[in-house]
Amino acid sequence: MELRRLIHSHPQSIWLSGSGLWLLFLCALGCVTAEEDKKVISTIGSTAELSCIYTPEKKFILNKLRVFWQIADGSKPCSVVHTFNSGHENQSEQCADFRNRTRLFQDKLENGIFSLLLLNVSLRDEHTYRCIVQKKDVVFRVIHNADVALKVAANNSLPVLSGPIRIHPNIGEEVTLSCNYSQGYPKPNIYWINRTDNSSLHPSSLKIIQDNDGTYSVFSTLKIEANSDIKIGCIIENELLQQNLTILYSENVTNSNSTRSNLLDLNEPGAQAGGVLAIAIVLAGLAVLTCWLWKRKFRHRRSYADVQQNEDGAQQNTHV
């Protein structure tokens, strides 16, 4: 009660005091005024609108009005986000993180709209913000305050799903699928699903790491036994955005005999004989080609020598 009496009796001195006392002052005032709690979800790089609206009986006179936006959760040593004092914006005490990134709706202040625009939202902006509105009759007094929790989200990329190196796996073979995702926030959930019957599958491995920029990357693998028709989905869930990113992998698998007939497996005796025969054919072809090139080259040299001899004989006849 003593602090509240001091605040109301000397409001100007409190306004000019340090940011720590100013924060205490606002918290005290918030105890005696109606509060408004909201949550805003914004994505990285977008513009967030933090709502603060008070419906007046008549339009406000701006030089008798103060609007103060601050960080209310006490998570940062500097709490001043934006101030409007007696008709003018005062950014001298504004935190460096918010400089040139905050706007009030100047043409709507007299109608009680004190909402704040926060530009180019980043993860470091995830706080609870407080809007304090003061009106001057004889002295300034608080007429409204509102707390707004800003939640930041990111879904900046699509998951990448890759299958086995072999283009056509055999039925019954173990197949490993990989699903990778990056630049997500908050920490995402990942699900594997069999799209043939919509059953969930347990990942063989799962690693979720937080990168230097605060976003999350996901690395997961799934091992399954290949059947005639593989249809697997990898789902990345962002609970905050209530958004799922899904990518599918589909593969028609042939039976083992037809697949192996198109591949050279050096572990089977028949395949070894076929391999030796193929090599012998290739070597024979190379030998024939070599002989043909050698003969062609020899004939070319001989014809050239004959021509040269004829030319020499013609020249001797001319001299005679």
Side-chain angles (χ1 to χ4, degrees), residues 62-275:
L62 296 186
N63 60 9
K64 294 184 177 181
L65 192 68
R66 287 176 177 166
V67 181
F68 187 91
W69 277 94
Q70 71 168 29
I71 295 175
D73 53 24
S75 58
K76 297 187 68 174
C78 179
S79 62
V80 180
V81 178
H82 197 99
T83 59
F84 178 87
N85 183 10
S86 301
H88 302 283
E89 289 184 291
N90 178 10
Q91 307 308 329
S92 60
E93 295 186 7
Q94 185 182 38
C95 301
D97 287 348
F98 298 104
R99 199 151 294 157
N100 300 320
R101 293 203 300 129
T102 56
R103 304 282 189 277
L104 292 175
F105 296 94
Q106 294 286 342
D107 57 338
K108 298 180 180 180
L109 291 175
E110 62 182 8
N111 296 319
I113 298 177
F114 311 115
S115 302
L116 182 74
L117 289 179
L118 180 58
L119 312 179
N120 193 23
V121 170
S122 67
L123 291 181
R124 66 175 180 268
D125 296 325
E126 192 170 66
H127 301 288
T128 297
Y129 295 83
R130 178 163 296 158
C131 167
I132 303 290
V133 181
Q134 291 181 299
K135 178 187 175 184
K136 184 177 182 180
D137 293 323
V138 178
V139 294
F140 279 100
R141 64 182 182 87
V142 174
I143 58 171
H144 181 68
N145 71 54
D147 281 0
V148 183
L150 176 61
K151 300 296 182 181
V152 181
N155 247 0
N156 294 333
S157 66
L158 293 174
V160 177
L161 180 56
S162 56
I165 297 177
R166 289 182 65 178
I167 299 176
H168 297 292
N170 298 329
I171 290 179
E173 285 185 345
E174 185 180 77
V175 175
T176 300
L177 304 179
S178 300
C179 185
N180 299 328
Y181 170 75
S182 61
Q183 295 183 315
Y185 190 87
K187 188 176 181 179
N189 299 317
I190 181 171
Y191 305 99
W192 290 93
I193 186 169
N194 186 344
R195 296 307 298 267
T196 58
D197 58 6
N198 289 326
S199 61
S200 60
L201 303 170
H202 186 71
S204 303
S205 67
L206 175 60
K207 185 178 182 181
I208 302 178
I209 62 173
Q210 190 166 20
D211 299 321
N212 293 333
D213 62 358
T215 61
Y216 289 89
S217 294
V218 177
F219 306 92
S220 182
T221 62
L222 176 71
K223 293 183 179 180
I224 59 172
E225 185 177 295
N227 53 35
S228 59
D229 189 16
I230 301 176
K231 290 183 179 179
I232 302 296
C234 174
I235 302 174
I236 303 294
E237 180 190 31
N238 189 310
E239 289 184 299
L240 185 59
L241 292 176
Q242 297 182 350
Q243 187 179 81
N244 292 336
L245 299 176
T246 304
I247 188 167
L248 301 178
Y249 176 86
S250 180
E251 178 74 52
N252 292 322
V253 182
T254 58
N255 60 60
S256 59
N257 291 331
S258 62
T259 301
R260 286 196 177 117
S261 65
N262 296 325
L263 297 174
L264 180 62
D265 188 349
L266 297 180
N267 292 322
E268 295 185 5
Q272 290 179 349

